[in-house]
C-alpha cells in the first residue's frame, strides 16, 4: 500500500547518511520541506517512524546548537518543526527548546531565506514553541518585518509596494482622518530620496518576506489572540513613535483576518489606539494621526459596535462586558461610559455628533446618551458613587426603550453573525432606527 511504501522509503532514506558517510549529500531544503509537508509523509507515517525521524534530526540539532544555523542544520530544523507542528507531543522538551532558540536566531538574521523559513515554521508551530520563545519579541519582530520597504525605493514607491504586499485596504486606505503620511522617521534628502534610518537599522526586505510576515502574524493571532492583543497594546504605549506607527497598521491587519477573535479585546485595543495620540506631543501626533484614522476606519467597517464621527472626533465602542465607551480623539482621552446589560451589539453616533445610540443583546435595551456630558452633570453623578472608581465618567441614558423578546436570532449563533443581523442608524438629528432582520424600531428624542 501507499502507506507501507512511505514507511519503507523513510526508513532507508534515514539510513543513507550512516551508510554512505562523508560522501553523502543531503537533499535540498526545498525538497525536504515539500516532502514532509505533504499529508502522506507526516500523517501517513506511523507514530514509531515519526519518533525515529524526530530522534535522528533532533540529535543533529543538538550537535549544531553552539554554532550558526546553516547547511544541514537548516534541513534538520525544517523536518523537526514540520513534524512537531502537527504532533507536538512526540517532540522532546529539550529538542523543542533547541528548535525554538534556533528559530528565534533565524528570525533576527538578515538573510531573506532564513527569515522566511523562521516565519513559516515558527508561526505554524507556535502552539508547540510558544512556551520556549519570547512571544512578545516574536510578534514585534514580525510587525517590524511586515512594515519594512526596500532601501532602493522612494517614499511613494515604498508605500505602493507595501500596500501590494499587505493587501490593499489592510493598512492603507482613503478613509484616514488625514492623508496618510510616510513612516515616522522618514525624511527627504536634498536629492528627493527617502532617508529611512530605522529601515537601515533593521535591513531592507523584499515584498515576499513582507507577505510572509503578514501571514505569520495572522496565524499566531488565530492561535493566541490574547498574547497578540496584549503585545500590540504594549507597542501602542511605547515611547517610540515608530513603534506606535507600526502597531497601528498591525491592528488593521489582525482585525481584517480575525475580527471575531479580537472582539473580546476590543476595548483594550481601542483605548491603546486613542492613548497613542497624545496631544501633548504635537509633532508625534501629526505623524500618527493618519495611521490612527485608517485603523479606526478598519474597526468601524469590521464591527457594528464601533462608530466614529469625523467632525467632533468622537469614537464610540461597544464592548462584550456591557460597557459602551466614548473617546475624544482630539484630547486622546475617554470622555464617558454607559453601563449596559449584556454584549453591546450596535453603536451609532448622531449626525451632529452630540448623541450616541447603543443596543445591548442581553437586556434588549436601546439607549441614547450624551458622549460628552457637562462638568455639572459629571459632578452630580459623582455624588451618587463617591467611592466607586469605575463610576468615573459613567453616564445615564438620556432616553431608552426595551425591544420585545423573539426578534433576535438563537443564542447558539456566533456573536458576529448576530451582530450582522442588527443595523443601527440615525434617520435625522433626533431619531434613531434599529433594524433586526425584517423588524424595525424607532426611538425619537
Amino acid at each position: 500500500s501507499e502507506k507501507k511504501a512511505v514507511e519503507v522509503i523513510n526508513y532507508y532514506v534515514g539510513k543513507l547518511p550512516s551508510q554512505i558517510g562523508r560522501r553523502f549529500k543531503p537533499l535540498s531544503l526545498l525538497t525536504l520541506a515539500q516532502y514532509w509537508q505533504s499529508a502522506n509523509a507526516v500523517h501517513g507515517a506511523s507514530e514509531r517512524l515519526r519518533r525515529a525521524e524526530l530522534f535522528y534530526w533532533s540529535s543533529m540539532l543538538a550537535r549544531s546548537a553552539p554554532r550558526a544555523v546553516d547547511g544541514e542544520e537548516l534541513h534538520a530544523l525544517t523536518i523537526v518543526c514540520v513534524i512537531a507542528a502537527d504532533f507536538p507531543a512526540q517532540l522532546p522538551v529539550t529538542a523543542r527548546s533547541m528548535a525554538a532558540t534556533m528559530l528565534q536566531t533565524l528570525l533576527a538574521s538578515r538573510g531573506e531565506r532564513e527569515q522566511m523559513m523562521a516565519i513559516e515554521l515558527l508561526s505554524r508551530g507556535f502552539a508547540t514553541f510558544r512556551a520556549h520563545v519570547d512571544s512578545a519579541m516574536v510578534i514585534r519582530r514580525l510587525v517590524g518585518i511586515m512594515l519594512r520597504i526596500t532601501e532602493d525605493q522612494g517614499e511613494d514607491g515604498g508605500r505602493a509596494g507595501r500596500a501590494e504586499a499587505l493587501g490593499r485596504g489592510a493598512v492603507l486606505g482613503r478613509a484616514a482622518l488625514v492623508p496618510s503620511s510616510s513612516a515616522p522617521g522618514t525624511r527627504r534628502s536634498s536629492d528627493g530620496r527617502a532617508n529611512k534610518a530605522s529601515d537601515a537599522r533593521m535591513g531592507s526586505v523584499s515584498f515576499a518576506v513582507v507577505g510572509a510576515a503578514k501571514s505569520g502574524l495572522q496565524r499566531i493571532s488565530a492561535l493566541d489572540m490574547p498574547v497578540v492583543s496584549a503585545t500590540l497594546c504594549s507597542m501602542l504605549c511605547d515611547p517610540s513613535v515608530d513603534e506606535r506607527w507600526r502597531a497601528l497598521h498591525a491592528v488593521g491587519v489582525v482585525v481584517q483576518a480575525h475580527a471575531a477573535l479580537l472582539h473580546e479585546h476590543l476595548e483594550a485595543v481601542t483605548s491603546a489606539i486613542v492613548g497613542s495620540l497624545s496631544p501633548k506631543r504635537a509633532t508625534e501626533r501629526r505623524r500618527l494621526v493618519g495611521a490612527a484614522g485608517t485603523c479606526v476606519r478598519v474597526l468601524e467597517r469590521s464591527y457594528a459596535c464601533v462608530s466614529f464621527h469625523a467632525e467632533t472626533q468622537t469614537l464610540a465602542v461597544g464592548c462584550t462586558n456591557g460597557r459602551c465607551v466614548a473617546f475624544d480623539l482630539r484630547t486622546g482621552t475617554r470622555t464617558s461610559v454607559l453601563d449596559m446589560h449584556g454584549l453591546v451589539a450596535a453603536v451609532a453616533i448622531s449626525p451632529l455628533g452630540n448623541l450616541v445610540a447603543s443596543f445591548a443583546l442581553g437586556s434588549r435595551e436601546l439607549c441614547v446618551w450624551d458622549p460628552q456630558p457637562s462638568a455639572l452633570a459629571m459632578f452630580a453623578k459623582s455624588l451618587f458613587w463617591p467611592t466607586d472608581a469605575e463610576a468615573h465618567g459613567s453616564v445615564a441614558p438620556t432616553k431608552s426603550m426595551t425591544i420585545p423578546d423573539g426578534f433576535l436570532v438563537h443564542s447558539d449563533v456566533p456573536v458576529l453573525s448576530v451582530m450582522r443581523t442588527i443595523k443601527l442608524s440615525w434617520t435625522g438629528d433626533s431619531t434613531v432606527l434599529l433594524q433586526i432582520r425584517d423588524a424595525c424600531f424607532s426611538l425619537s428624542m
Side-chain angles (χ1 to χ4, degrees):
S1 65
E2 184 178 0
K3 179 178 179 181
K4 193 68 177 178
V6 169
E7 293 183 4
V8 173
I9 292 172
N10 286 337
Y11 175 79
Y12 283 106
V13 168
K15 291 292 185 179
L16 287 176
S18 60
Q19 295 295 324
I20 298 178
R22 294 182 178 180
R23 292 179 300 169
F24 174 74
K25 299 297 183 181
L27 298 175
S28 68
L29 175 65
L30 179 61
T31 303
L32 285 172
Q34 289 177 343
Y35 176 72
W36 280 103
Q37 285 177 353
S38 65
N40 290 335
V42 178
H43 295 277
S46 65
E47 180 178 347
R48 180 180 177 182
L49 179 60
R50 285 195 299 266
R51 289 185 182 276
E53 291 286 346
L54 285 173
F55 176 79
Y56 173 79
W57 294 106
S58 297
S59 63
M60 183 176 289
L61 292 184
R63 294 196 301 268
S64 63
R67 298 184 288 106
V69 184
D70 56 6
E72 292 185 353
E73 292 79 10
L74 289 177
H75 299 260
L77 184 62
T78 301
I79 295 175
V80 168
C81 293
V82 168
I83 299 177
D86 293 329
F87 302 94
Q90 297 181 12
L91 183 65
V93 176
T94 53
R96 199 178 304 178
S97 178
M98 285 188 297
T101 302
M102 290 181 176
L103 289 175
Q104 287 193 106
T105 302
L106 292 176
L107 187 63
S109 66
R110 290 180 177 271
E112 290 192 5
R113 188 186 74 160
E114 289 76 9
Q115 281 187 345
M116 292 187 67
M117 175 181 171
I119 292 170
E120 178 76 11
L121 296 178
L122 190 56
S123 60
R124 289 190 180 277
F126 188 74
T128 303
F129 300 116
R130 60 183 159 191
H132 306 278
V133 298
D134 185 349
S135 300
M137 184 278 293
V138 170
I139 295 170
R140 284 174 178 262
R141 179 62 180 170
L142 288 178
V143 173
I145 295 174
M146 187 177 65
L147 294 169
R148 291 294 112 195
I149 57 177
T150 52
E151 290 179 343
D152 58 345
Q153 286 180 310
E155 181 179 341
D156 298 333
R159 187 181 307 161
R162 190 188 303 115
E164 179 182 354
L166 294 175
R168 297 204 177 271
V171 296
L172 301 175
R174 300 183 179 181
L177 295 177
V178 297
S180 298
S181 59
S182 59
T186 300
R187 301 182 305 275
R188 281 202 175 274
S189 57
S190 58
D191 59 354
R193 291 176 299 178
N195 178 18
K196 301 176 178 62
S198 59
D199 284 351
R201 182 174 63 252
M202 295 185 65
S204 61
V205 297
S206 67
F207 295 146
V209 182
V210 171
K214 175 191 173 185
S215 300
L217 179 63
Q218 292 174 344
R219 288 194 204 101
I220 294 177
S221 300
L223 294 171
D224 200 339
M225 183 59 78
V227 170
V228 173
S229 62
T231 303
L232 292 179
C233 288
S234 176
M235 293 176 66
L236 288 167
C237 300
D238 196 279
S240 170
V241 65
D242 295 327
E243 198 78 350
R244 282 178 279 163
W245 181 84
R246 297 187 192 105
L248 287 169
H249 289 297
V251 168
V253 172
V254 173
V255 168
Q256 290 196 329
H258 302 291
L261 296 177
L262 189 66
H263 186 211
E264 184 179 350
H265 312 278
L266 190 57
E267 181 179 4
V269 172
T270 308
S271 298
I273 292 172
V274 176
S276 67
L277 298 173
S278 175
K280 297 180 181 179
R281 298 180 176 88
T283 304
E284 293 182 2
R285 181 181 172 88
R286 283 195 298 269
R287 293 179 180 178
L288 295 174
V289 70
T294 303
C295 185
V296 167
R297 293 301 188 190
V298 172
L299 291 174
E300 191 177 24
R301 289 194 300 266
S302 303
Y303 299 100
C305 58
V306 176
S307 182
F308 176 67
H309 192 269
E311 293 183 4
T312 61
Q313 297 288 285
T314 300
L315 175 65
V317 179
C319 310
T320 56
N321 58 5
R323 290 156 54 93
C324 194
V325 187
F327 300 93
D328 187 347
L329 267 65
R330 293 171 299 188
T331 60
T333 59
R334 185 188 73 176
T335 57
S336 59
V337 178
L338 175 66
D339 292 315
M340 306 184 72
H341 300 285
L343 181 145
V344 181
V347 174
I349 301 178
S350 65
L352 297 179
N354 59 336
L355 294 173
V356 176
S358 54
F359 176 69
L361 289 179
S363 60
R364 307 187 311 277
E365 189 176 16
L366 174 62
C367 298
V368 177
W369 48 288
D370 186 356
Q372 295 186 352
S374 62
L376 179 60
M378 296 301 298
F379 174 74
K381 182 66 65 176
S382 66
L383 297 178
F384 294 94
W385 295 289
T387 59
D388 189 356
E390 285 295 324
H392 177 70
S394 297
V395 296
T398 305
K399 196 169 184 178
S400 63
M401 67 178 292
T402 302
I403 306 301
D405 194 7
F407 289 95
L408 296 176
V409 297
H410 198 269
S411 58
D412 293 339
V413 178
V415 173
L416 285 185
S417 298
V418 176
M419 294 171 65
R420 292 189 187 101
T421 65
I422 301 171
K423 183 179 180 181
L424 189 62
S425 60
W426 288 81
T427 59
D429 295 336
S430 60
T431 303
V432 61
L433 180 66
L434 174 65
Q435 295 177 270
I436 304 177
R437 292 183 288 179
D438 298 330
C440 296
F441 306 89
S442 63
L443 178 62
S444 300
M445 300 302 296

